[in-house]
Amino acid sequence: MNNYSPKVGLKNSEEFIGYYENSLKQLNIDYKIVDTNQSDFDFYISSESLKIDNYDLNEISSGFVVTLARSKQGQIVVYSVSSFQENEVITPASNLSESNASKFQSEAIELATKINLEGAIEVLFSNTTSKLCKVNSLPTFLSVWTLDAAVTSIFENHVRGLLNLPLGSPKLLDSQVVSVQVLGGNYSDMYRPFLHI
């Protein structure tokens, strides 16, 4: 067991529960999957812990996203700005200047600091007005690319941020990453859609 061994509860309702489990195992942190809040845990790995009023106002189907994590001590890591449209994410955003990317990252950092964020968020910006229009209080498909294409995934950094552990590097492992979400539904043969992608 790790020298730092808090009792961690992982809600079985988490959308990406397997990714959080892998992160906890890699960090050698003892955890238990739970149905509801129980008082005997030091921490919960939960996507429901953050509500940001006035930012979850607009649905957005395309734009730019800044993914970042922050620890209780105030350490922040910011991933490359991605562009997204429907179910496709391109990192770094190919249609965004470096100055605008830096502006988006700075605004996201300012928000994370202002709300004393612990964990991870995705900050979404409009591709027409460049204004902040939505905040996701958990990693979504917009950040799943970090599992294979960043030194440290946003899921691991979310766990690290919540447990106040040092955050890992958000550096890209390749110069360009394209991520596509395929919604298969009841269709079990995903080979052809994969070839299409």
Side-chain angles (χ1 to χ4, degrees):
M1 187 56 53
N2 192 310
N3 287 338
Y4 177 70
S5 300
K7 289 165 55 179
V8 175
L10 175 60
K11 291 186 179 180
N12 63 5
S13 59
E14 291 304 316
E15 184 177 3
F16 295 107
I17 189 171
Y19 301 141
Y20 292 115
E21 279 195 278
N22 286 342
S23 297
L24 288 162
K25 287 175 184 174
Q26 287 175 351
L27 293 168
N28 204 19
I29 301 290
D30 189 24
Y31 69 96
K32 182 178 180 184
I33 297 176
V34 295
D35 290 324
T36 57
N37 285 346
Q38 298 171 9
S39 60
D40 59 340
F41 289 98
D42 299 322
F43 295 95
Y44 282 97
I45 304 302
S46 173
S47 59
E48 300 164 8
S49 60
L50 179 64
K51 298 292 180 197
I52 305 175
D53 296 332
N54 303 324
Y55 288 105
D56 295 323
L57 301 176
N58 303 312
E59 285 302 317
I60 178 170
S61 59
S62 66
F64 302 102
V65 59
V66 176
T67 302
L68 63 88
R70 181 180 183 275
S71 70
K72 184 182 286 188
Q73 291 180 328
Q75 181 190 6
I76 295 177
V77 294
V78 184
Y79 292 79
S80 295
V81 179
S82 301
S83 61
F84 66 94
Q85 183 171 354
E86 298 296 330
N87 293 315
E88 179 181 274
V89 180
I90 299 173
T91 310
S94 55
N95 54 343
L96 184 66
S97 69
E98 283 188 36
S99 63
N100 279 342
S102 294
K103 176 181 167 280
F104 290 158
Q105 289 174 321
S106 295
E107 198 169 333
I109 289 169
E110 187 178 319
L111 173 64
T113 303
K114 178 182 174 183
I115 63 172
N116 290 318
L117 174 69
E118 294 175 27
I121 56 173
E122 297 168 342
V123 184
L124 283 62
F125 295 87
S126 166
N127 55 357
T128 53
T129 66
S130 295
K131 291 186 177 177
L132 192 161
C133 55
K134 185 173 175 61
V135 175
N136 293 330
S137 60
L138 71 160
T140 70
F141 86 92
L142 295 174
S143 299
V144 168
W145 65 266
T146 65
L147 287 164
D148 296 316
V151 172
T152 309
S153 79
I154 192 58
F155 298 97
E156 181 174 337
N157 271 332
H158 181 64
V159 170
R160 286 175 171 272
L162 289 174
L163 300 180
N164 205 23
L165 295 170
L167 301 178
S169 170
K171 185 179 175 185
L172 283 170
L173 296 175
D174 211 332
S175 59
Q176 192 86 46
V177 179
V178 177
S179 176
V180 178
Q181 177 177 240
V182 177
L183 304 174
N186 294 326
Y187 187 66
S188 60
D189 179 11
M190 296 308 295
Y191 181 67
R192 290 191 187 281
F194 177 75
L195 289 178
H196 176 70
I197 292 168

